[in-house]
Amino acid sequence: MLQRIKEQAKNKHFLSLSTNVFTSGCAMLIFILLLRSMEIDHMGYWIFFQTTLSLLDTFRSGFLQMALIKFYSGAARPRAREVLGSIWFLAISITLFWFVVTIPAFFLLPYIEDVSIQIVVKWFAVVFFLTLPYSITLWRLQADQKFKQLLTLSMINQLTFLTTIILLMVFDQMSINNLLYANALTCTITSSICLLTGWSGFRYVVKKTRTCMQEIYHFGKFSVGTSISSNLLRSSDIFMINFLLGPALIPVYNVAQRLMEVIEIPLRSFLVTGMPALSTAFNQKRNHDVVAIMEKYSGMLTLALIPVTIVGVALADFAVGLLGGGKYLGTDAANIFRILLVISIIYPIDRFSGVTLDIINQPKRNFYKVILMLIINVIGNYIGILWLGDLYGVVLSSVLAFAIGFLYSYTSLQEFLTFNIKGILNTGVKDLKLLYLKIF
């Protein structure tokens, strides 16, 4: 049995899961340290900056990441280099565009009173530029399914940032400005390693072609809309809390969201390994395998997450206290976490339905879905906050938007592929049994 466990530890699923567990574990530890070392308002500023950075970065990652995986995975070497070079050229162009756009904002700083907006104006372009090589390297390693290198790179990035935070705490220098400098230093070190090792594939920028860039553009124009809208969907909660309820409630809501990593870690791991497999099957015109892969991953995850959800609901208060400390006990964080956990049961089917729509060249369906969810969420948040006056108005609106989005993507995919929920669950049961027999 020990030998079987060792063999399973070498496969791509385990390595992908290890990468996500390590990355999320470090991110969680960093979050815990920041919650305990920063004032609540300053923590709200940091979360707002990270949320805004993530949203604006989607103009780059949403446009290029899925395109790289789709056109790069399983391609012949000359084609792969052409795709990677074209991705690099487009990524540089997008980065320079945002750098130029933010220049006028600096002249408006004396007139901006909101501290959270000031931080975004000062730091967004810098961090966006510094993360470019790191981002493309992550996409390439994912497409190549080189999960050992992914794990190594994640360790370097997370441990560097964690070390700088600990040093700031030890020398009593923790502040929002020093935290931003530490973040920039971490991005510089990680991206430099990506370039020096050659993992980023920057040298292939000379292999770019106009035809390939046009191909990427025509695919990306829908996927970027989906990604931006999807990120805006997640970010809209933070923005509306910040401006309607105040920055002090952002960490409370974010504690519940952070605890959802117990669901997101395995989900991201399966998506990372599943997307290239789905893309390869579709590119080779094996639609029956596309359905089989989608059913396998979503079915196994759905069943595996049920006991996790039950335990999480029971231990929500303990989890909040462990993550945020005593000052977050007695807040709405625990109940918000419980609500999010219950709806997460259908996350796997929803995520893989969305990814599969992209793979089979139907990104516009995902785009329409997310736009629908965004409209419902923003209107629902506004009404919920005015009606209830607290965070429950936000979370209930999010649940409604997600439920409608799930129905839309599920029924949309059924127009192109033959599957149903019963088949997904049956496949999940079968594959979990096979996994158990392989290990034991």
Side-chain angles (χ1 to χ4, degrees):
M1 186 179 74
L2 184 60
Q3 182 61 32
R4 289 182 180 179
I5 294 175
K6 288 181 179 180
E7 291 175 358
Q8 290 299 316
K10 295 178 182 179
N11 69 34
K12 62 183 181 180
H13 304 294
F14 181 83
L15 289 171
S16 175
L17 181 61
S18 298
T19 301
N20 277 286
V21 168
F22 177 82
T23 302
S24 299
C26 284
M28 190 71 74
L29 179 57
I30 289 169
F31 190 67
I32 291 172
L33 294 175
L34 293 179
L35 285 173
R36 286 162 169 75
S37 62
M38 297 184 72
E39 296 178 8
I40 292 180
D41 283 354
H42 287 193
M43 189 64 190
Y45 297 148
W46 171 250
I47 295 171
F48 183 84
F49 171 71
Q50 290 291 95
T51 301
T52 306
L53 175 64
S54 176
L55 172 62
L56 296 178
D57 179 65
T58 308
F59 284 90
R60 185 172 66 192
S61 60
F63 188 62
L64 301 175
Q65 182 179 8
M66 196 65 196
L68 187 147
I69 293 173
K70 175 174 174 55
F71 296 116
Y72 182 93
S73 298
R77 183 171 296 180
R79 168 64 172 170
R81 291 176 175 177
E82 177 191 17
V83 171
L84 188 57
S86 299
I87 290 287
W88 256 109
F89 184 83
L90 291 170
I92 292 171
S93 301
I94 293 170
T95 304
L96 291 176
F97 168 79
W98 275 109
F99 194 83
V100 172
V101 166
T102 56
I103 291 176
F106 279 93
F107 297 100
L108 298 176
L109 279 173
Y111 307 100
I112 299 174
E113 297 182 359
D114 193 303
V115 177
S116 58
I117 301 298
Q118 290 177 0
I119 292 172
V120 171
V121 171
K122 291 178 181 177
W123 283 95
F124 163 68
V126 175
V127 176
F128 194 57
F129 172 77
L130 293 176
T131 55
L132 175 58
Y134 177 52
S135 296
I136 294 182
T137 303
L138 290 179
W139 306 342
R140 185 194 182 190
L141 293 177
Q142 178 184 344
D144 282 332
Q145 300 192 52
K146 293 183 177 179
F147 297 109
K148 287 185 179 180
Q149 289 91 329
L150 265 175
L151 179 58
T152 300
L153 195 58
S154 297
M155 290 178 66
I156 293 170
N157 180 262
Q158 293 294 321
L159 291 178
T160 300
F161 193 38
L162 179 60
T163 301
T164 58
I165 288 174
I166 292 174
L167 288 174
L168 288 175
M169 293 176 65
V170 168
F171 292 101
D172 196 25
Q173 295 296 315
M174 178 60 74
S175 68
I176 185 64
N177 285 330
N178 286 341
L179 180 60
L180 290 162
Y181 280 115
N183 183 52
L185 175 63
T186 300
C187 296
T188 301
I189 293 172
T190 309
S191 287
S192 297
I193 291 172
C194 293
L195 293 170
L196 292 173
T197 58
W199 290 350
S200 67
F202 176 70
R203 63 187 181 275
Y204 297 126
V205 70
V206 296
K207 302 290 185 180
K208 72 182 187 304
T209 66
R210 180 182 295 273
T211 301
C212 185
M213 287 190 288
Q214 288 176 340
E215 192 176 6
I216 291 169
Y217 167 77
H218 287 301
F219 177 84
K221 66 184 178 182
F222 286 110
S223 64
V224 69
T226 302
S227 298
I228 292 170
S229 303
S230 181
N231 198 298
L232 187 57
L233 177 63
R234 295 191 299 269
S235 306
S236 61
D237 290 344
I238 298 298
F239 293 148
M240 297 189 78
I241 292 170
N242 183 67
F243 296 118
L244 296 179
L245 294 175
L249 285 179
I250 293 178
V252 176
Y253 189 75
N254 204 245
V255 164
Q257 288 187 315
R258 285 283 180 169
L259 288 171
M260 287 300 294
E261 286 294 296
V262 70
I263 302 295
E264 293 290 346
I265 289 173
L267 189 51
R268 283 196 301 267
S269 301
F270 274 63
L271 284 169
V272 165
T273 56
M275 281 193 294
L278 285 166
S279 181
T280 299
F282 181 74
N283 289 339
Q284 295 175 358
K285 303 186 186 304
R286 295 184 284 112
N287 284 359
H288 62 286
D289 285 340
V290 172
V291 173
I293 293 168
M294 190 267 296
E295 288 185 336
K296 172 184 177 180
Y297 284 102
S298 57
M300 289 178 66
L301 269 175
T302 299
L303 295 172
L305 291 180
I306 291 175
V308 175
T309 298
I310 294 172
V311 173
V313 168
L315 300 179
D317 291 293
F318 173 77
V320 168
L322 183 65
L323 177 62
K327 59 184 175 182
Y328 291 96
L329 286 174
T331 66
D332 295 330
N335 285 335
I336 292 173
F337 178 46
R338 290 186 176 100
I339 295 170
L340 296 177
L341 272 175
V342 172
I343 197 68
S344 72
I345 292 294
I346 56 176
Y347 276 12
I349 299 175
D350 177 69
R351 298 283 180 87
F352 274 96
S353 295
V355 165
T356 305
L357 281 170
D358 278 344
I359 293 295
I360 65 173
N361 292 325
Q362 294 298 323
K364 62 182 179 181
R365 294 299 186 102
N366 267 334
F367 177 66
Y368 298 151
K369 164 198 169 180
V370 178
I371 289 295
L372 175 64
M373 291 175 65
L374 177 60
I375 293 172
I376 294 171
N377 195 58
V378 170
I379 295 174
N381 278 347
Y382 185 74
I383 295 173
I385 290 173
L386 289 181
W387 180 33
L388 299 177
D390 56 26
L391 293 174
Y392 288 110
V394 177
V395 69
L396 292 177
S397 172
S398 298
V399 169
L400 174 64
F402 175 77
I404 293 174
F406 168 78
L407 291 174
Y408 181 86
S409 62
Y410 178 77
T411 54
S412 293
L413 188 58
Q414 284 186 319
E415 294 180 24
F416 304 96
L417 300 172
T418 303
F419 73 99
N420 54 50
I421 291 179
K422 181 180 178 181
I424 289 173
L425 296 179
N426 287 339
T427 302
V429 170
K430 180 182 68 176
D431 286 320
L432 283 175
K433 287 180 179 178
L434 290 175
L435 179 62
Y436 176 83
L437 293 175
K438 282 183 180 180
I439 296 176
F440 301 102

